[in-house]
Amino acid sequence: VGKSDFLMALLAHMAAGKSFIGLTPPRPLRVFYLQAEVQYDYLRERVRGLGWPDDALALLRENFFITPQVRLVLNEDGVHRVAESIRQRFHALPPDIIAIDPIRNVFDGGPDSSGENDNNAMMFFLQERVESLRNMTNPAAGIILTHHTRKASKRQVDEDPFQSFSGAGSLRSFYTSGMLLLRPDENAPERKLIFELRNGPELSDKAVNKVHGHWQEMNITPTRLVMKEYGARQDAERDRRQDTILRLIADEAAKG
């Protein structure tokens, strides 16, 4: 669904102090983006394609640091290496946001080397690795973790979307807010953005899409659950009739 692309756009807007699909930072934020999935050349292409004005570019150069595709595990040594990279980049002003994308590629399950499906291993990673990294750099920083979803039916996703996270359920009990990006209809480009907040007012679901290289918020339209092909044909016929009527009106107007 483009989670890394979406996250990079979100973080870039936060670093530039710009609003993104209705989410607005209080000021330009300093962002350290540890990413272990996207290759450097594609990453550079995506950053260049954001199309920022000069004043925003200056803020991005100052506030936004993205690693190339790192190949490390966030074990004790990895945490110290990342913390040192953060200190070298931001010096006296620590980052406001530390983003890790994705959990799977840097996961350390502890002494037992358990995987991300084990609840104890997940809690070890979150408490002993992620929290340690935050405490070494800026205890007040916000942490953004990206994670994959497992295979789940549309009904399961509708009933409890955040149960579709891959691996251990202890991840869900740990975070203070969650954001799930999914594509309800594989044949349509729109994605759905669902929020889960432990504190503060509830955020409504959003429909988003990438238009001309930029993520935009769209109007939410009802999702047809049954007789999809028949309904699509009816929609197409309705559109054809409307186009015909508009064409007739335009032709008559052109004649005066």
Side-chain angles (χ1 to χ4, degrees):
V1 296
K3 63 178 175 55
S4 295
D5 193 274
F6 180 87
L7 176 62
M8 187 178 66
L10 168 65
L11 294 176
H13 281 77
M14 299 300 105
K18 304 290 186 182
S19 179
F20 180 71
I21 62 167
L23 307 175
T24 306
R27 56 175 173 79
L29 303 177
R30 295 179 297 277
V31 178
F32 183 87
Y33 181 17
L34 175 69
Q35 68 87 26
E37 197 165 53
V38 182
Q39 294 181 353
Y40 174 77
D41 291 332
Y42 176 74
L43 197 68
R44 180 177 58 184
E45 177 185 325
R46 288 300 318 124
V47 173
R48 287 177 174 174
L50 291 173
W52 294 99
D54 290 342
D55 60 334
L57 282 174
L59 285 170
L60 285 177
R61 292 189 186 100
E62 181 180 350
N63 294 333
F64 194 20
F65 182 81
I66 313 175
T67 69
Q69 185 181 15
V70 297
R71 299 188 183 279
L72 61 77
V73 174
L74 273 183
N75 51 23
E76 187 173 356
D77 177 64
V79 168
H80 283 279
R81 289 170 59 189
V82 174
E84 181 59 29
S85 296
I86 293 175
R87 282 190 287 267
Q88 290 179 5
R89 175 63 181 85
F90 291 102
H91 305 295
L93 295 173
D96 299 298
I97 297 175
I98 300 171
I100 300 173
D101 177 23
I103 290 175
R104 178 179 298 170
N105 290 21
V106 298
F107 187 79
D108 174 36
D112 296 333
S113 298
S114 300
E116 61 187 80
N117 293 321
D118 184 275
N119 276 307
N120 291 329
M122 178 61 76
M123 289 305 296
F124 175 88
F125 174 75
L126 296 171
Q127 293 175 337
E128 302 298 326
R129 301 307 185 220
V130 175
E131 286 289 1
S132 293
L133 177 61
R134 173 170 29 199
N135 291 332
M136 287 181 186
T137 52
N138 179 14
I143 299 289
I144 296 178
L145 304 172
T146 67
H147 197 40
H148 298 89
T149 56
R150 60 180 174 81
K151 297 293 184 184
S153 67
K154 289 186 182 296
R155 180 177 177 180
Q156 289 174 318
V157 173
D158 288 338
E159 290 177 350
D160 192 349
F162 288 91
Q163 285 289 359
S164 60
F165 279 139
S166 177
S170 56
L171 172 64
R172 189 180 180 188
S173 66
F174 188 82
Y175 60 71
T176 55
S177 58
M179 180 189 295
L180 187 65
L181 183 68
L182 56 92
R183 179 177 282 167
D185 186 348
E186 294 296 329
N187 297 316
E190 290 81 16
R191 281 81 156 177
K192 188 176 182 181
L193 201 60
I194 305 173
F195 300 90
E196 180 179 52
L197 273 66
R198 301 279 187 253
N199 306 297
E202 182 179 351
L203 290 178
S204 301
D205 296 349
K206 294 178 180 287
V208 297
N209 192 16
K210 197 172 182 183
V211 181
H212 303 304
H214 299 279
W215 288 93
Q216 298 179 14
E217 187 173 358
M218 317 295 289
N219 292 325
I220 293 182
T221 54
T223 302
R224 184 177 282 115
L225 299 178
V226 296
M227 301 179 69
K228 291 185 177 181
E229 292 184 4
Y230 176 76
R233 289 198 300 270
Q234 294 295 315
D235 291 342
E237 175 61 18
R238 190 177 301 110
D239 291 341
R240 186 192 67 78
R241 291 178 183 176
Q242 291 174 348
D243 290 343
T244 301
I245 292 169
L246 290 172
R247 194 178 304 113
L248 286 170
I249 295 172
D251 290 344
E252 292 299 317
K255 296 174 184 177

